[in-house]
């Protein structure tokens, strides 16, 4: 009798585990648009046999937390920057997180619904650790300033357009700072979150320091293409629950 009961219980547990696995697999997906060329702490992109894959980082952690809160299975669609708008036009993604409407033309921004922003980001000038800190635009005149390819630095545009400073881009944040350390640029512009992470984890960055000069501060959003399977109400409510529970702050602590 004991062995029969044990066998019955084992069969029940196996069926329950199978049902749970099937339920997870059966969850409807939510497809997040992710630009390639990312590096930690924002995102680690790995090339696989199936194409580029988001393997780690702040973007992955937040999007997966948001997907769970929505009761959906996260799918990270990694694409080159130039194909982002194409992906939305082709209805290949459902949400576009870590974006600001300030980066988009008015026509493209109007293709999305915008909930409240979920975090703020600051960019500053990075200079040599032993050098004079940059205090104003005037301190950058005659210098070569490194940026990330495809990024907009509106506060610095007057310097670049007038020829008073030269812009020299790199494909990502780590490459940006390595160019500066090699003497190919005088300064760089970077998110403070990224710089603190890189300086803590890469001893080569010890020769660089944040300057007091803030290039920009902007809010970050999870934008919803108007055709998305996730409604604006669902998105806003899920995002607010995560923020109220301190989920974003816990994620950020991993990368500070």
């Amino acid at each position: 009798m004991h062995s029969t009961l044990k066998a019955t219980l084992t069969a029940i547990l196996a069926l329950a585990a199978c049902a749970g696995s099937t339920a997870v697999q059966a969850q409807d997906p939510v497809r997040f648009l992710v630009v390639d060329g990312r590096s930690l702490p924002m995102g680690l992109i790995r090339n696989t046999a199936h194409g580029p894959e988001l393997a780690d980082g702040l973007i992955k952690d937040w999007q997966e937390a948001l997907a769970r809160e929505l009761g959906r299975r996260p799918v990270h669609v990694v694409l080159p920057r130039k194909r982002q708008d194409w992906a939305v036009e082709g209805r290949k993604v459902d949400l576009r997180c870590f974006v600001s409407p300030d980066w988009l033309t008015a026509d493209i921004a109007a293709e999305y619904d915008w909930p409240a922003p979920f975090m703020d980001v600051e960019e500053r000038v990075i200079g040599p650790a032993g050098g004079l800190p940059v205090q104003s635009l005037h301190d950058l005149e005659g210098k070569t300033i490194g940026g990330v390819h495809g990024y907009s630095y509106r506060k610095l545009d007057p310097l670049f357009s007038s020829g008073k400073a030269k812009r020299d881009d790199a494909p990502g944040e780590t490459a940006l700072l390595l160019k500066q350390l090699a003497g190919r640029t005088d300064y760089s512009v970077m998110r403070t979150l990224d710089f603190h992470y890189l300086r803590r984890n890469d001893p080569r960055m010890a020769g660089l320091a944040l300057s007091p000069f803030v290039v920009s501060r902007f809010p970050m959003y999870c934008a919803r293409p108007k055709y998305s399977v996730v409604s604006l109400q669902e998105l806003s409510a899920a995002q607010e629950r995560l923020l109220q529970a301190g989920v974003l702050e816990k994620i950020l602590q991993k990368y500070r």
Side-chain angles (χ1 to χ4, degrees):
M1 183 70 178
H2 176 74
S3 60
T4 302
L5 178 60
K6 184 176 180 181
T8 302
L9 288 173
T10 301
I12 291 171
L13 289 172
L15 286 170
C18 182
S21 174
T22 302
V24 170
Q25 293 175 2
Q27 277 187 325
D28 290 331
V30 55
R31 302 165 299 170
F32 293 95
L33 176 57
V34 180
V35 65
D36 67 2
R38 295 286 192 178
S39 59
L40 290 174
M42 296 303 292
L44 175 63
I45 307 293
R46 289 200 180 113
N47 291 319
T48 72
H50 306 290
E53 177 182 283
L54 181 63
D56 197 4
L58 171 59
I59 293 172
K60 183 174 187 288
D61 292 348
W62 173 253
Q63 292 181 170
E64 292 187 350
L66 184 57
R68 285 193 298 270
E69 196 64 29
L70 290 167
R72 290 178 173 272
R73 173 172 52 87
V75 176
H76 308 287
V77 182
V78 182
L79 292 170
R81 191 175 303 277
K82 291 181 179 179
R83 296 188 69 195
Q84 290 183 100
D85 296 334
W86 166 85
V88 175
E89 290 171 5
R91 300 193 171 196
K92 299 183 181 299
V93 294
D94 301 303
L95 294 174
R96 182 176 180 176
C97 294
F98 296 87
V99 66
S100 170
D102 292 341
W103 302 346
L104 309 176
T105 65
D107 288 346
I108 292 178
E111 295 176 3
Y112 298 89
D113 291 322
W114 299 86
F118 66 92
M119 68 178 289
D120 291 320
V121 173
E122 177 188 81
E123 292 178 319
R124 291 197 194 185
V125 170
I126 312 299
L132 291 174
V134 173
Q135 303 282 355
S136 67
L137 283 174
H138 177 73
D139 296 334
L140 297 173
E141 291 183 3
K143 306 298 183 182
T144 299
I145 305 167
V148 175
H149 179 69
Y151 283 21
S152 174
Y153 307 104
R154 294 183 180 179
K155 196 170 186 176
L156 303 181
D157 281 345
L159 285 178
F160 300 139
S161 60
S162 66
K164 291 181 178 179
K166 179 183 177 183
R167 176 172 173 170
D168 190 331
D169 284 351
E173 283 75 14
T174 301
L176 176 67
L177 295 185
L178 291 177
K179 285 180 73 172
Q180 185 176 350
L181 287 168
R184 294 169 60 189
T185 57
D186 300 302
Y187 296 101
S188 299
V189 180
M190 181 175 286
R191 291 180 295 261
T192 54
L193 174 68
D194 294 60
F195 180 72
H196 287 311
Y197 177 88
L198 290 170
R199 201 172 192 277
R200 187 176 69 251
N201 290 282
D202 190 334
R204 295 174 295 180
M205 307 305 174
L208 301 174
L210 279 175
S211 78
F213 186 64
V214 176
V215 174
S216 67
R217 288 190 183 96
F218 48 86
M220 301 289 272
Y221 296 79
C222 276
R224 172 196 178 273
K226 292 186 182 294
Y227 61 80
S228 177
V229 296
V230 178
S231 72
L232 180 59
Q233 182 179 6
E234 287 177 303
L235 174 59
S236 296
Q239 184 176 276
E240 183 61 24
R241 289 194 298 269
L242 290 176
L243 294 175
Q244 290 293 328
V247 172
L248 177 62
E249 186 57 34
K250 290 176 184 176
I251 292 172
L252 288 171
Q253 288 299 328
K254 291 174 58 180
Y255 304 105
R256 285 178 175 161

